Amino acid sequence: MSLATYNTKRNFNETSEPSGKKNDKQQDKLSFVIQRHKASHLHYDFRLEMEGVLKSWAVPKGPSLNPQDKRLAMMVEDHPYDYKDFAGVIPEGNYGAGIVEIWDSGTYTSLEDSGNVKEDEKLLKAGLAAGNLKFKMHGKKLKGEFALVRLKDSNSNSWLLIKHNDSYAVHENYNSEENTPKNSPINKWLASHKPEEKQAKKKP
Ligand code: MN
C-alpha cells in the first residue's frame, strides 16, 4: 500500500493536508473517518485504516443506514493515517480545493472481531482483495455491520456501500445531509454562497 499517488497529487507548501507518511505505530484499534468534502461537487470520503494507511472511497450521496440503499463508492488513492484528523480549507488551485469537515469517526473491526488488530487486518485485507469487504463500525453516526462490494462487470474502481440489516439499520429514508449540523463549516459556506449561485444561473 503506497502513498505515492497521494503525495504526487498535492503540493504541501500550499495545502495544510498531512503529507503522506505511513503510520508504523500500531494502535490497539483500527480507525475510520468519513469526511464531508465540498470540492467541485459535494461528496463524502469514506476511509478505513488498513496497514498504516487509509483505504479511501468517494461516496457522492453519502453513507446510509438503510439496508435498501446501495451507495456508489469510487475507490481513490490511499490516504495517510493522519488524514483521519484533517478538517479545513484546501486552497484554490490545489487538488480537491474546497472545504473538508469530519462527518463521522470512530473505530471498526472485521465481522469476526477477533480482538487482535493484526488478525483483523488480515481478514479485512482478504475482503478488500476479494472485492467483498465486510466490517463493523463503531462511530457516532454509523454503527453496526456494513459491506463494500466491488462491481464485478468493470475493472473500474466502482464499489457499493451497503448497510447490513442489524439492530442499527433504519428502514425509513436516510439522508446523510440531514444528519449534518446546520452550522457546520460547509453548510455555513453553502448558506453564504447561495444567492450568488442563483444569480450566476440567471445569466445567459
Ligand atoms: Mn474528497
Side-chain angles (χ1 to χ4, degrees):
M1 306 199 183
S2 160
L3 293 167
T5 308
Y6 172 89
N7 284 327
T8 304
K9 286 181 170 182
R10 289 166 180 82
N11 177 353
F12 298 105
N13 294 324
E14 294 194 5
T15 182
S16 55
E17 293 164 286
S19 65
K21 280 191 257 21
K22 261 175 101 164
N23 177 42
D24 297 322
K25 284 172 256 141
Q26 183 86 70
Q27 312 292 315
D28 59 353
K29 288 193 192 293
L30 295 169
S31 295
F32 82 86
V33 68
I34 298 162
Q35 279 142 332
R36 186 167 174 252
H37 185 185
K38 162 75 188 78
S40 52
H41 297 280
L42 181 65
H43 62 274
Y44 289 70
D45 291 305
F46 192 96
R47 310 190 197 279
L48 301 173
E49 177 191 356
M50 237 181 268
E51 296 189 316
V53 301
L54 302 177
K55 305 308 291 183
S56 296
W57 291 261
V59 184
K61 281 187 161 179
S64 175
L65 284 173
N66 186 324
Q68 290 200 304
D69 291 330
K70 294 177 171 59
R71 293 288 162 84
L72 182 67
M74 300 301 293
M75 198 172 198
V76 299
E77 76 273 17
D78 293 350
H79 278 50
Y81 176 74
D82 288 346
Y83 209 93
K84 71 182 180 55
D85 301 314
F86 177 73
V89 172
I90 302 173
E92 203 72 39
N94 286 270
Y95 183 71
I99 309 170
V100 175
E101 62 192 20
I102 293 176
W103 185 79
D104 197 15
S105 63
T107 61
Y108 84 107
T109 65
S110 71
L111 288 198
E112 290 80 357
D113 193 2
S114 65
N116 175 310
V117 173
K118 281 258 177 311
E119 198 53 45
D120 246 26
E121 273 187 332
K122 217 178 281 174
L123 295 165
L124 292 161
K125 238 185 103 185
L128 184 77
N132 187 357
L133 177 57
K134 295 184 173 126
F135 48 95
K136 216 184 284 178
M137 303 187 80
H138 307 276
K140 294 166 197 84
K141 294 183 174 111
L142 298 190
K143 295 176 198 288
E145 296 184 10
F146 284 80
L148 271 162
V149 182
R150 189 168 53 215
L151 291 176
K152 282 200 183 75
D153 58 347
S154 66
N155 54 5
S156 76
N157 300 319
S158 311
W159 296 59
L160 296 174
L161 175 66
I162 306 164
K163 176 82 189 85
H164 282 171
N165 201 355
D166 59 16
S167 60
Y168 297 108
V170 303
H171 299 284
E172 56 273 13
N173 284 342
Y174 186 90
N175 182 350
S176 51
E177 288 292 291
E178 288 166 6
N179 288 281
T180 303
K182 288 227 163 24
N183 63 351
S184 84
I186 290 175
N187 284 348
K188 277 191 198 156
W189 188 93
L190 291 173
S192 67
H193 285 72
K194 232 179 213 163
E196 251 174 59
E197 277 172 16
K198 269 185 198 153
Q199 277 174 7
K201 266 181 203 158
K202 273 184 203 156
K203 284 177 193 161

